Amino acid sequence: MSTRLYQKHIGAFMFCLAGIPSVATAGQLHASVVPQYPIHVLEMPKSVAGMSLVEIEKWAHLGDPAAENALGVDYLHGRGVRENWKKADIWFRKSAHAGNANGAFLLAFAYNFGEGVPMNTRKAVYWWQQSAKDRRK
């Protein structure tokens, strides 16, 4: 399920719970509490531009596709971390599977040139096609 669709469904669910008292927010984590049934809604950042490596890692580990892609780029270029193509490809793959066009493009690049993964032209073409599809959304 795409992040946008997920947020839409969570938003509709939270609208239904509007009459139930909620707990104060802490940072970017918003939590509403129904007696005995805690419900947590995490609002993903709209952009990772200007975030520190620590923040990008935090959001990547929480499943934000843009942060996963950004962390892959950090590993690709060795920005703040040791350059590691295998780790870059892992993060690009997570981002691509979540529907991030940039992650799919960079994963295709890796397959095309055999960087961090075995060279595979068919997989490269597949991921470039996925990247093109994701950009049209």
Side-chain angles (χ1 to χ4, degrees):
M1 182 181 291
S2 73
T3 304
R4 191 173 290 153
L5 185 60
Y6 175 77
Q7 289 173 337
K8 181 179 177 183
H9 288 295
I10 290 297
F13 180 72
M14 294 307 291
F15 179 75
C16 294
L17 297 176
I20 299 172
S22 63
V23 177
T25 61
Q28 293 177 326
L29 182 65
H30 299 270
S32 294
V33 179
V34 178
Q36 300 177 0
Y37 303 102
I39 299 170
H40 301 284
V41 178
L42 192 62
E43 293 183 3
M44 296 295 184
K46 292 185 179 20
S47 172
V48 294
M51 281 189 183
S52 69
L53 178 61
V54 172
E55 290 174 303
I56 290 172
E57 286 177 329
K58 172 188 136 188
W59 286 108
H61 287 288
L62 289 172
D64 179 58
E68 291 169 344
N69 184 63
L71 188 55
V73 170
D74 288 342
Y75 277 111
L76 175 70
H77 298 293
R79 288 189 211 144
V81 292
R82 175 170 278 177
E83 187 177 306
N84 186 328
W85 269 91
K86 288 186 180 190
K87 284 187 179 182
D89 290 331
I90 289 168
W91 287 109
F92 293 149
R93 184 175 314 282
K94 287 180 180 190
S95 178
H97 281 286
N100 184 285
N102 293 329
F105 181 84
L106 291 167
L107 186 57
F109 179 87
Y111 275 117
N112 191 59
F113 296 103
E115 298 288 349
V117 293
M119 189 181 292
N120 188 323
T121 307
R122 276 191 263 172
K123 286 185 179 182
V125 169
Y126 171 80
W127 285 110
W128 271 317
Q129 289 171 341
Q130 293 306 306
S131 174
K133 287 178 188 176
D134 293 340
R135 289 186 192 283
R136 286 183 263 169
K137 289 181 184 175

